[in-house]
PDB file of all heavy atoms in Angstrom:
ATOM      1  N   HIS H 128     -16.675  29.814 -31.600  1.00 98.00           N
ATOM      2  CA  HIS H 128     -17.267  30.414 -30.403  1.00 98.00           C
ATOM      3  C   HIS H 128     -18.784  30.244 -30.406  1.00 98.00           C
ATOM      4  O   HIS H 128     -19.382  29.915 -29.368  1.00 98.00           O
ATOM      5  CB  HIS H 128     -16.907  31.900 -30.333  1.00 98.00           C
ATOM      6  CG  HIS H 128     -15.558  32.174 -29.745  1.00 98.00           C
ATOM      7  ND1 HIS H 128     -15.270  31.930 -28.418  1.00 98.00           N
ATOM      8  CD2 HIS H 128     -14.420  32.659 -30.301  1.00 98.00           C
ATOM      9  CE1 HIS H 128     -14.005  32.267 -28.171  1.00 98.00           C
ATOM     10  NE2 HIS H 128     -13.466  32.703 -29.304  1.00 98.00           N
ATOM     11  N   LYS H 129     -19.398  30.456 -31.549  1.00 97.00           N
ATOM     12  CA  LYS H 129     -20.850  30.289 -31.620  1.00 97.00           C
ATOM     13  C   LYS H 129     -21.249  28.856 -31.293  1.00 97.00           C
ATOM     14  O   LYS H 129     -22.256  28.611 -30.600  1.00 97.00           O
ATOM     15  CB  LYS H 129     -21.351  30.676 -33.013  1.00 97.00           C
ATOM     16  CG  LYS H 129     -21.346  32.173 -33.289  1.00 97.00           C
ATOM     17  CD  LYS H 129     -21.965  32.456 -34.660  1.00 97.00           C
ATOM     18  CE  LYS H 129     -22.169  33.920 -34.905  1.00 97.00           C
ATOM     19  NZ  LYS H 129     -22.827  34.201 -36.210  1.00 97.00           N
ATOM     20  N   SER H 130     -20.469  27.897 -31.790  1.00 97.00           N
ATOM     21  CA  SER H 130     -20.785  26.488 -31.543  1.00 97.00           C
ATOM     22  C   SER H 130     -20.653  26.123 -30.071  1.00 97.00           C
ATOM     23  O   SER H 130     -21.276  25.166 -29.605  1.00 97.00           O
ATOM     24  CB  SER H 130     -19.876  25.592 -32.383  1.00 97.00           C
ATOM     25  OG  SER H 130     -18.546  25.575 -31.878  1.00 97.00           O
ATOM     26  N   GLN H 131     -19.842  26.895 -29.337  1.00 97.00           N
ATOM     27  CA  GLN H 131     -19.679  26.677 -27.897  1.00 97.00           C
ATOM     28  C   GLN H 131     -20.767  27.377 -27.079  1.00 97.00           C
ATOM     29  O   GLN H 131     -20.804  27.256 -25.854  1.00 97.00           O
ATOM     30  CB  GLN H 131     -18.310  27.208 -27.442  1.00 97.00           C
ATOM     31  CG  GLN H 131     -17.117  26.594 -28.135  1.00 97.00           C
ATOM     32  CD  GLN H 131     -17.048  25.089 -27.963  1.00 97.00           C
ATOM     33  OE1 GLN H 131     -17.066  24.581 -26.849  1.00 97.00           O
ATOM     34  NE2 GLN H 131     -17.006  24.376 -29.072  1.00 97.00           N
ATOM     35  N   GLY H 132     -21.616  28.144 -27.770  1.00 97.00           N
ATOM     36  CA  GLY H 132     -22.654  28.884 -27.069  1.00 97.00           C
ATOM     37  C   GLY H 132     -22.186  30.218 -26.527  1.00 97.00           C
ATOM     38  O   GLY H 132     -22.881  30.845 -25.712  1.00 97.00           O
ATOM     39  N   ASP H 133     -21.003  30.689 -26.965  1.00 98.00           N
ATOM     40  CA  ASP H 133     -20.468  31.958 -26.491  1.00 98.00           C
ATOM     41  C   ASP H 133     -21.159  33.139 -27.173  1.00 98.00           C
ATOM     42  O   ASP H 133     -21.627  33.025 -28.315  1.00 98.00           O
ATOM     43  CB  ASP H 133     -18.966  32.053 -26.796  1.00 98.00           C
ATOM     44  CG  ASP H 133     -18.158  30.961 -26.110  1.00 98.00           C
ATOM     45  OD1 ASP H 133     -18.673  30.361 -25.157  1.00 98.00           O
ATOM     46  OD2 ASP H 133     -17.014  30.724 -26.545  1.00 98.00           O
ATOM     47  N   ASP H 134     -21.213  34.256 -26.477  1.00 98.00           N
ATOM     48  CA  ASP H 134     -21.620  35.505 -27.105  1.00 98.00           C
ATOM     49  C   ASP H 134     -20.423  36.057 -27.876  1.00 98.00           C
ATOM     50  O   ASP H 134     -19.297  36.062 -27.366  1.00 98.00           O
ATOM     51  CB  ASP H 134     -22.060  36.527 -26.053  1.00 98.00           C
ATOM     52  CG  ASP H 134     -23.425  36.218 -25.475  1.00 98.00           C
ATOM     53  OD1 ASP H 134     -24.164  35.416 -26.088  1.00 98.00           O
ATOM     54  OD2 ASP H 134     -23.766  36.775 -24.421  1.00 98.00           O
ATOM     55  N   VAL H 135     -20.665  36.517 -29.094  1.00 98.00           N
ATOM     56  CA  VAL H 135     -19.607  37.058 -29.943  1.00 98.00           C
ATOM     57  C   VAL H 135     -19.994  38.469 -30.362  1.00 98.00           C
ATOM     58  O   VAL H 135     -21.142  38.714 -30.761  1.00 98.00           O
ATOM     59  CB  VAL H 135     -19.397  36.191 -31.201  1.00 98.00           C
ATOM     60  CG1 VAL H 135     -18.287  36.771 -32.085  1.00 98.00           C
ATOM     61  CG2 VAL H 135     -19.072  34.755 -30.827  1.00 98.00           C
ATOM     62  N   VAL H 136     -19.048  39.414 -30.262  1.00 98.00           N
ATOM     63  CA  VAL H 136     -19.317  40.792 -30.665  1.00 98.00           C
ATOM     64  C   VAL H 136     -18.095  41.343 -31.380  1.00 98.00           C
ATOM     65  O   VAL H 136     -16.955  41.063 -31.005  1.00 98.00           O
ATOM     66  CB  VAL H 136     -19.690  41.680 -29.448  1.00 98.00           C
ATOM     67  CG1 VAL H 136     -18.578  41.680 -28.416  1.00 98.00           C
ATOM     68  CG2 VAL H 136     -20.017  43.097 -29.877  1.00 98.00           C
ATOM     69  N   VAL H 137     -18.334  42.094 -32.446  1.00 98.00           N
ATOM     70  CA  VAL H 137     -17.270  42.790 -33.172  1.00 98.00           C
ATOM     71  C   VAL H 137     -17.128  44.182 -32.570  1.00 98.00           C
ATOM     72  O   VAL H 137     -18.122  44.907 -32.430  1.00 98.00           O
ATOM     73  CB  VAL H 137     -17.593  42.884 -34.678  1.00 98.00           C
ATOM     74  CG1 VAL H 137     -16.512  43.668 -35.416  1.00 98.00           C
ATOM     75  CG2 VAL H 137     -17.730  41.487 -35.278  1.00 98.00           C
ATOM     76  N   VAL H 138     -15.903  44.562 -32.199  1.00 98.00           N
ATOM     77  CA  VAL H 138     -15.641  45.858 -31.570  1.00 98.00           C
ATOM     78  C   VAL H 138     -14.581  46.560 -32.406  1.00 98.00           C
ATOM     79  O   VAL H 138     -13.428  46.125 -32.447  1.00 98.00           O
ATOM     80  CB  VAL H 138     -15.160  45.693 -30.113  1.00 98.00           C
ATOM     81  CG1 VAL H 138     -15.077  47.054 -29.438  1.00 98.00           C
ATOM     82  CG2 VAL H 138     -16.083  44.763 -29.335  1.00 98.00           C
ATOM     83  N   SER H 139     -14.966  47.667 -33.060  1.00 97.00           N
ATOM     84  CA  SER H 139     -14.086  48.212 -34.085  1.00 97.00           C
ATOM     85  C   SER H 139     -14.220  49.717 -34.231  1.00 97.00           C
ATOM     86  O   SER H 139     -15.279  50.292 -33.962  1.00 97.00           O
ATOM     87  CB  SER H 139     -14.425  47.553 -35.436  1.00 97.00           C
ATOM     88  OG  SER H 139     -13.694  48.129 -36.492  1.00 97.00           O
ATOM     89  N   ALA H 140     -13.135  50.347 -34.700  1.00 95.00           N
ATOM     90  CA  ALA H 140     -13.181  51.756 -35.078  1.00 95.00           C
ATOM     91  C   ALA H 140     -13.759  51.937 -36.481  1.00 95.00           C
ATOM     92  O   ALA H 140     -13.932  53.073 -36.932  1.00 95.00           O
ATOM     93  CB  ALA H 140     -11.779  52.370 -35.017  1.00 95.00           C
ATOM     94  N   SER H 141     -14.061  50.844 -37.168  1.00 96.00           N
ATOM     95  CA  SER H 141     -14.669  50.928 -38.488  1.00 96.00           C
ATOM     96  C   SER H 141     -16.034  51.611 -38.400  1.00 96.00           C
ATOM     97  O   SER H 141     -16.648  51.671 -37.340  1.00 96.00           O
ATOM     98  CB  SER H 141     -14.818  49.534 -39.096  1.00 96.00           C
ATOM     99  OG  SER H 141     -13.555  48.937 -39.287  1.00 96.00           O
ATOM    100  N   LEU H 142     -16.520  52.097 -39.519  1.00 97.00           N
ATOM    101  CA  LEU H 142     -17.738  52.908 -39.550  1.00 97.00           C
ATOM    102  C   LEU H 142     -19.007  52.063 -39.604  1.00 97.00           C
ATOM    103  O   LEU H 142     -19.063  51.043 -40.297  1.00 97.00           O
ATOM    104  CB  LEU H 142     -17.703  53.856 -40.743  1.00 97.00           C
ATOM    105  CG  LEU H 142     -16.544  54.853 -40.762  1.00 97.00           C
ATOM    106  CD1 LEU H 142     -16.572  55.674 -42.047  1.00 97.00           C
ATOM    107  CD2 LEU H 142     -16.594  55.768 -39.547  1.00 97.00           C
ATOM    108  N   ASN H 143     -20.026  52.541 -38.908  1.00 97.00           N
ATOM    109  CA  ASN H 143     -21.292  51.825 -38.836  1.00 97.00           C
ATOM    110  C   ASN H 143     -21.949  51.622 -40.192  1.00 97.00           C
ATOM    111  O   ASN H 143     -22.654  50.642 -40.409  1.00 97.00           O
ATOM    112  CB  ASN H 143     -22.263  52.575 -37.920  1.00 97.00           C
ATOM    113  CG  ASN H 143     -22.616  53.961 -38.445  1.00 97.00           C
ATOM    114  OD1 ASN H 143     -21.735  54.778 -38.723  1.00 97.00           O
ATOM    115  ND2 ASN H 143     -23.900  54.254 -38.551  1.00 97.00           N
ATOM    116  N   VAL H 144     -21.709  52.532 -41.130  1.00 97.00           N
ATOM    117  CA  VAL H 144     -22.433  52.468 -42.402  1.00 97.00           C
ATOM    118  C   VAL H 144     -22.058  51.251 -43.236  1.00 97.00           C
ATOM    119  O   VAL H 144     -22.846  50.805 -44.070  1.00 97.00           O
ATOM    120  CB  VAL H 144     -22.238  53.758 -43.228  1.00 97.00           C
ATOM    121  CG1 VAL H 144     -22.976  54.920 -42.592  1.00 97.00           C
ATOM    122  CG2 VAL H 144     -20.760  54.091 -43.412  1.00 97.00           C
ATOM    123  N   TYR H 145     -20.867  50.696 -43.021  1.00 97.00           N
ATOM    124  CA  TYR H 145     -20.540  49.455 -43.735  1.00 97.00           C
ATOM    125  C   TYR H 145     -20.348  48.266 -42.800  1.00 97.00           C
ATOM    126  O   TYR H 145     -20.678  47.131 -43.160  1.00 97.00           O
ATOM    127  CB  TYR H 145     -19.329  49.635 -44.647  1.00 97.00           C
ATOM    128  CG  TYR H 145     -17.995  49.900 -43.981  1.00 97.00           C
ATOM    129  CD1 TYR H 145     -17.203  48.862 -43.495  1.00 97.00           C
ATOM    130  CD2 TYR H 145     -17.506  51.204 -43.869  1.00 97.00           C
ATOM    131  CE1 TYR H 145     -15.976  49.112 -42.912  1.00 97.00           C
ATOM    132  CE2 TYR H 145     -16.280  51.465 -43.292  1.00 97.00           C
ATOM    133  CZ  TYR H 145     -15.508  50.405 -42.811  1.00 97.00           C
ATOM    134  OH  TYR H 145     -14.289  50.659 -42.235  1.00 97.00           O
ATOM    135  N   LEU H 146     -19.843  48.507 -41.587  1.00 98.00           N
ATOM    136  CA  LEU H 146     -19.669  47.386 -40.664  1.00 98.00           C
ATOM    137  C   LEU H 146     -21.023  46.865 -40.204  1.00 98.00           C
ATOM    138  O   LEU H 146     -21.213  45.653 -40.065  1.00 98.00           O
ATOM    139  CB  LEU H 146     -18.835  47.818 -39.460  1.00 98.00           C
ATOM    140  CG  LEU H 146     -18.528  46.704 -38.453  1.00 98.00           C
ATOM    141  CD1 LEU H 146     -17.690  45.601 -39.107  1.00 98.00           C
ATOM    142  CD2 LEU H 146     -17.821  47.254 -37.220  1.00 98.00           C
ATOM    143  N   GLY H 147     -21.978  47.764 -39.993  1.00 97.00           N
ATOM    144  CA  GLY H 147     -23.302  47.362 -39.544  1.00 97.00           C
ATOM    145  C   GLY H 147     -23.972  46.374 -40.486  1.00 97.00           C
ATOM    146  O   GLY H 147     -24.386  45.286 -40.055  1.00 97.00           O
ATOM    147  N   PRO H 148     -24.094  46.699 -41.779  1.00 96.00           N
ATOM    148  CA  PRO H 148     -24.731  45.740 -42.698  1.00 96.00           C
ATOM    149  C   PRO H 148     -23.987  44.408 -42.775  1.00 96.00           C
ATOM    150  O   PRO H 148     -24.616  43.348 -42.876  1.00 96.00           O
ATOM    151  CB  PRO H 148     -24.682  46.479 -44.045  1.00 96.00           C
ATOM    152  CG  PRO H 148     -24.669  47.925 -43.684  1.00 96.00           C
ATOM    153  CD  PRO H 148     -23.858  48.005 -42.416  1.00 96.00           C
ATOM    154  N   TRP H 149     -22.639  44.470 -42.719  1.00 97.00           N
ATOM    155  CA  TRP H 149     -21.868  43.228 -42.784  1.00 97.00           C
ATOM    156  C   TRP H 149     -22.167  42.355 -41.565  1.00 97.00           C
ATOM    157  O   TRP H 149     -22.391  41.140 -41.698  1.00 97.00           O
ATOM    158  CB  TRP H 149     -20.372  43.536 -42.857  1.00 97.00           C
ATOM    159  CG  TRP H 149     -19.531  42.317 -43.058  1.00 97.00           C
ATOM    160  CD1 TRP H 149     -19.189  41.730 -44.252  1.00 97.00           C
ATOM    161  CD2 TRP H 149     -18.951  41.495 -42.031  1.00 97.00           C
ATOM    162  NE1 TRP H 149     -18.425  40.600 -44.023  1.00 97.00           N
ATOM    163  CE2 TRP H 149     -18.263  40.425 -42.667  1.00 97.00           C
ATOM    164  CE3 TRP H 149     -18.937  41.562 -40.632  1.00 97.00           C
ATOM    165  CZ2 TRP H 149     -17.575  39.451 -41.964  1.00 97.00           C
ATOM    166  CZ3 TRP H 149     -18.261  40.578 -39.919  1.00 97.00           C
ATOM    167  CH2 TRP H 149     -17.585  39.539 -40.582  1.00 97.00           C
ATOM    168  N   CYS H 150     -22.181  42.947 -40.384  1.00 97.00           N
ATOM    169  CA  CYS H 150     -22.456  42.190 -39.163  1.00 97.00           C
ATOM    170  C   CYS H 150     -23.904  41.717 -39.111  1.00 97.00           C
ATOM    171  O   CYS H 150     -24.184  40.573 -38.714  1.00 97.00           O
ATOM    172  CB  CYS H 150     -22.130  43.036 -37.938  1.00 97.00           C
ATOM    173  SG  CYS H 150     -20.362  43.295 -37.635  1.00 97.00           S
ATOM    174  N   ASP H 151     -24.832  42.575 -39.517  1.00 97.00           N
ATOM    175  CA  ASP H 151     -26.245  42.199 -39.481  1.00 97.00           C
ATOM    176  C   ASP H 151     -26.513  40.981 -40.359  1.00 97.00           C
ATOM    177  O   ASP H 151     -27.313  40.100 -40.002  1.00 97.00           O
ATOM    178  CB  ASP H 151     -27.116  43.368 -39.947  1.00 97.00           C
ATOM    179  CG  ASP H 151     -27.171  44.493 -38.924  1.00 97.00           C
ATOM    180  OD1 ASP H 151     -26.854  44.246 -37.746  1.00 97.00           O
ATOM    181  OD2 ASP H 151     -27.528  45.625 -39.317  1.00 97.00           O
ATOM    182  N   ALA H 152     -25.839  40.916 -41.506  1.00 95.00           N
ATOM    183  CA  ALA H 152     -26.038  39.792 -42.427  1.00 95.00           C
ATOM    184  C   ALA H 152     -25.550  38.482 -41.826  1.00 95.00           C
ATOM    185  O   ALA H 152     -25.970  37.404 -42.261  1.00 95.00           O
ATOM    186  CB  ALA H 152     -25.315  40.064 -43.746  1.00 95.00           C
ATOM    187  N   ARG H 153     -24.677  38.568 -40.820  1.00 96.00           N
ATOM    188  CA  ARG H 153     -24.114  37.371 -40.176  1.00 96.00           C
ATOM    189  C   ARG H 153     -24.609  37.205 -38.751  1.00 96.00           C
ATOM    190  O   ARG H 153     -24.076  36.386 -38.003  1.00 96.00           O
ATOM    191  CB  ARG H 153     -22.578  37.463 -40.213  1.00 96.00           C
ATOM    192  CG  ARG H 153     -22.049  37.295 -41.626  1.00 96.00           C
ATOM    193  CD  ARG H 153     -20.712  37.950 -41.838  1.00 96.00           C
ATOM    194  NE  ARG H 153     -20.295  37.795 -43.225  1.00 96.00           N
ATOM    195  CZ  ARG H 153     -20.742  38.572 -44.216  1.00 96.00           C
ATOM    196  NH1 ARG H 153     -21.610  39.546 -43.967  1.00 96.00           N
ATOM    197  NH2 ARG H 153     -20.335  38.358 -45.445  1.00 96.00           N
ATOM    198  N   ASN H 154     -25.606  38.001 -38.378  1.00 96.00           N
ATOM    199  CA  ASN H 154     -26.189  37.934 -37.031  1.00 96.00           C
ATOM    200  C   ASN H 154     -25.119  38.117 -35.958  1.00 96.00           C
ATOM    201  O   ASN H 154     -25.105  37.412 -34.950  1.00 96.00           O
ATOM    202  CB  ASN H 154     -26.919  36.607 -36.839  1.00 96.00           C
ATOM    203  CG  ASN H 154     -27.863  36.649 -35.644  1.00 96.00           C
ATOM    204  OD1 ASN H 154     -28.385  37.705 -35.295  1.00 96.00           O
ATOM    205  ND2 ASN H 154     -28.078  35.506 -35.007  1.00 96.00           N
ATOM    206  N   LEU H 155     -24.220  39.094 -36.196  1.00 98.00           N
ATOM    207  CA  LEU H 155     -23.160  39.393 -35.239  1.00 98.00           C
ATOM    208  C   LEU H 155     -23.422  40.754 -34.606  1.00 98.00           C
ATOM    209  O   LEU H 155     -23.503  41.764 -35.315  1.00 98.00           O
ATOM    210  CB  LEU H 155     -21.801  39.435 -35.944  1.00 98.00           C
ATOM    211  CG  LEU H 155     -21.144  38.114 -36.301  1.00 98.00           C
ATOM    212  CD1 LEU H 155     -19.903  38.364 -37.153  1.00 98.00           C
ATOM    213  CD2 LEU H 155     -20.778  37.337 -35.034  1.00 98.00           C
ATOM    214  N   PRO H 156     -23.556  40.839 -33.298  1.00 98.00           N
ATOM    215  CA  PRO H 156     -23.633  42.140 -32.650  1.00 98.00           C
ATOM    216  C   PRO H 156     -22.330  42.905 -32.893  1.00 98.00           C
ATOM    217  O   PRO H 156     -21.267  42.304 -33.084  1.00 98.00           O
ATOM    218  CB  PRO H 156     -23.799  41.799 -31.165  1.00 98.00           C
ATOM    219  CG  PRO H 156     -24.263  40.386 -31.145  1.00 98.00           C
ATOM    220  CD  PRO H 156     -23.642  39.731 -32.328  1.00 98.00           C
ATOM    221  N   TYR H 157     -22.411  44.226 -32.859  1.00 98.00           N
ATOM    222  CA  TYR H 157     -21.208  45.018 -33.110  1.00 98.00           C
ATOM    223  C   TYR H 157     -21.241  46.321 -32.327  1.00 98.00           C
ATOM    224  O   TYR H 157     -22.298  46.850 -31.974  1.00 98.00           O
ATOM    225  CB  TYR H 157     -21.057  45.318 -34.606  1.00 98.00           C
ATOM    226  CG  TYR H 157     -22.202  46.111 -35.209  1.00 98.00           C
ATOM    227  CD1 TYR H 157     -22.157  47.501 -35.294  1.00 98.00           C
ATOM    228  CD2 TYR H 157     -23.345  45.462 -35.671  1.00 98.00           C
ATOM    229  CE1 TYR H 157     -23.208  48.216 -35.838  1.00 98.00           C
ATOM    230  CE2 TYR H 157     -24.403  46.172 -36.215  1.00 98.00           C
ATOM    231  CZ  TYR H 157     -24.329  47.545 -36.294  1.00 98.00           C
ATOM    232  OH  TYR H 157     -25.385  48.257 -36.814  1.00 98.00           O
ATOM    233  N   ILE H 158     -20.036  46.827 -32.062  1.00 98.00           N
ATOM    234  CA  ILE H 158     -19.809  48.126 -31.435  1.00 98.00           C
ATOM    235  C   ILE H 158     -18.790  48.826 -32.324  1.00 98.00           C
ATOM    236  O   ILE H 158     -17.733  48.241 -32.610  1.00 98.00           O
ATOM    237  CB  ILE H 158     -19.255  47.965 -30.008  1.00 98.00           C
ATOM    238  CG1 ILE H 158     -20.248  47.222 -29.116  1.00 98.00           C
ATOM    239  CG2 ILE H 158     -18.900  49.313 -29.401  1.00 98.00           C
ATOM    240  CD1 ILE H 158     -19.663  46.799 -27.770  1.00 98.00           C
ATOM    241  N   CYS H 159     -19.075  50.046 -32.758  1.00 98.00           N
ATOM    242  CA  CYS H 159     -18.165  50.664 -33.721  1.00 98.00           C
ATOM    243  C   CYS H 159     -18.302  52.190 -33.707  1.00 98.00           C
ATOM    244  O   CYS H 159     -19.113  52.756 -32.975  1.00 98.00           O
ATOM    245  CB  CYS H 159     -18.437  50.134 -35.117  1.00 98.00           C
ATOM    246  SG  CYS H 159     -20.061  50.607 -35.793  1.00 98.00           S
ATOM    247  N   THR H 160     -17.514  52.829 -34.533  1.00 97.00           N
ATOM    248  CA  THR H 160     -17.615  54.273 -34.723  1.00 97.00           C
ATOM    249  C   THR H 160     -18.876  54.575 -35.524  1.00 97.00           C
ATOM    250  O   THR H 160     -19.095  53.997 -36.589  1.00 97.00           O
ATOM    251  CB  THR H 160     -16.374  54.811 -35.467  1.00 97.00           C
ATOM    252  OG1 THR H 160     -15.211  54.528 -34.685  1.00 97.00           O
ATOM    253  CG2 THR H 160     -16.484  56.314 -35.682  1.00 97.00           C
ATOM    254  N   THR H 161     -19.698  55.484 -35.006  1.00 97.00           N
ATOM    255  CA  THR H 161     -20.987  55.783 -35.623  1.00 97.00           C
ATOM    256  C   THR H 161     -21.028  57.237 -36.088  1.00 97.00           C
ATOM    257  O   THR H 161     -20.796  58.157 -35.293  1.00 97.00           O
ATOM    258  CB  THR H 161     -22.134  55.536 -34.625  1.00 97.00           C
ATOM    259  OG1 THR H 161     -22.110  54.158 -34.224  1.00 97.00           O
ATOM    260  CG2 THR H 161     -23.486  55.864 -35.241  1.00 97.00           C
ATOM    261  N   LEU H 162     -21.296  57.434 -37.360  1.00 96.00           N
ATOM    262  CA  LEU H 162     -21.395  58.779 -37.914  1.00 96.00           C
ATOM    263  C   LEU H 162     -22.714  59.420 -37.479  1.00 96.00           C
ATOM    264  O   LEU H 162     -23.776  58.804 -37.588  1.00 96.00           O
ATOM    265  CB  LEU H 162     -21.314  58.730 -39.441  1.00 96.00           C
ATOM    266  CG  LEU H 162     -19.998  58.183 -40.017  1.00 96.00           C
ATOM    267  CD1 LEU H 162     -20.111  58.032 -41.540  1.00 96.00           C
ATOM    268  CD2 LEU H 162     -18.837  59.100 -39.665  1.00 96.00           C
ATOM    269  N   GLU H 163     -22.642  60.647 -36.999  1.00 96.00           N
ATOM    270  CA  GLU H 163     -23.835  61.348 -36.513  1.00 96.00           C
ATOM    271  C   GLU H 163     -24.658  61.882 -37.687  1.00 96.00           C
ATOM    272  O   GLU H 163     -24.107  62.421 -38.644  1.00 96.00           O
ATOM    273  CB  GLU H 163     -23.409  62.502 -35.618  1.00 96.00           C
ATOM    274  CG  GLU H 163     -24.584  63.244 -34.983  1.00 96.00           C
ATOM    275  CD  GLU H 163     -24.133  64.418 -34.131  1.00 96.00           C
ATOM    276  OE1 GLU H 163     -23.659  65.413 -34.720  1.00 96.00           O
ATOM    277  OE2 GLU H 163     -24.249  64.329 -32.904  1.00 96.00           O
ATOM    278  N   GLU H 164     -25.982  61.753 -37.569  1.00 96.00           N
ATOM    279  CA  GLU H 164     -26.903  62.233 -38.601  1.00 96.00           C
ATOM    280  C   GLU H 164     -27.899  63.218 -37.991  1.00 96.00           C
ATOM    281  O   GLU H 164     -28.350  63.037 -36.857  1.00 96.00           O
ATOM    282  CB  GLU H 164     -27.676  61.065 -39.214  1.00 96.00           C
ATOM    283  CG  GLU H 164     -26.831  59.992 -39.847  1.00 96.00           C
ATOM    284  CD  GLU H 164     -27.671  58.834 -40.365  1.00 96.00           C
ATOM    285  OE1 GLU H 164     -28.894  59.035 -40.600  1.00 96.00           O
ATOM    286  OE2 GLU H 164     -27.128  57.734 -40.525  1.00 96.00           O
ATOM    287  N   ARG H 165     -28.241  64.227 -38.760  1.00 95.00           N
ATOM    288  CA  ARG H 165     -29.303  65.157 -38.376  1.00 95.00           C
ATOM    289  C   ARG H 165     -30.046  65.598 -39.631  1.00 95.00           C
ATOM    290  O   ARG H 165     -29.418  65.997 -40.614  1.00 95.00           O
ATOM    291  CB  ARG H 165     -28.731  66.396 -37.663  1.00 95.00           C
ATOM    292  CG  ARG H 165     -28.250  66.130 -36.245  1.00 95.00           C
ATOM    293  CD  ARG H 165     -27.828  67.393 -35.550  1.00 95.00           C
ATOM    294  NE  ARG H 165     -27.290  67.134 -34.216  1.00 95.00           N
ATOM    295  CZ  ARG H 165     -26.734  68.046 -33.444  1.00 95.00           C
ATOM    296  NH1 ARG H 165     -26.645  69.310 -33.868  1.00 95.00           N
ATOM    297  NH2 ARG H 165     -26.267  67.725 -32.256  1.00 95.00           N
ATOM    298  N   ALA H 166     -31.357  65.491 -39.568  1.00 95.00           N
ATOM    299  CA  ALA H 166     -32.215  65.918 -40.672  1.00 95.00           C
ATOM    300  C   ALA H 166     -31.783  65.302 -41.995  1.00 95.00           C
ATOM    301  O   ALA H 166     -31.804  65.954 -43.038  1.00 95.00           O
ATOM    302  CB  ALA H 166     -32.212  67.443 -40.780  1.00 95.00           C
ATOM    303  N   GLY H 167     -31.387  64.045 -41.933  1.00 94.00           N
ATOM    304  CA  GLY H 167     -31.079  63.324 -43.153  1.00 94.00           C
ATOM    305  C   GLY H 167     -29.693  63.560 -43.718  1.00 94.00           C
ATOM    306  O   GLY H 167     -29.370  63.055 -44.795  1.00 94.00           O
TER     307      GLY H 167
END
């Protein structure tokens, strides 16, 4: 898909804390379940 010039996005119920770093390392946009944080 990338070679065709398509936009590619991962859409998952997986958690942002591990899916995010995995996708970022591969330059893949992602939409996922995000754990809420407050005051650290």
Side-chain angles (χ1 to χ4, degrees):
H128 277 293
K129 287 184 172 183
S130 73
Q131 302 301 306
D133 299 342
D134 285 344
V135 180
V136 59
V137 177
V138 187
S139 174
S141 297
L142 299 176
N143 63 306
V144 289
Y145 66 84
L146 183 63
W149 186 87
C150 288
D151 288 341
R153 290 155 182 81
N154 197 29
L155 283 173
Y157 61 93
I158 298 169
C159 66
T160 300
T161 300
L162 298 173
E163 184 182 70
E164 301 177 21
R165 287 186 183 173

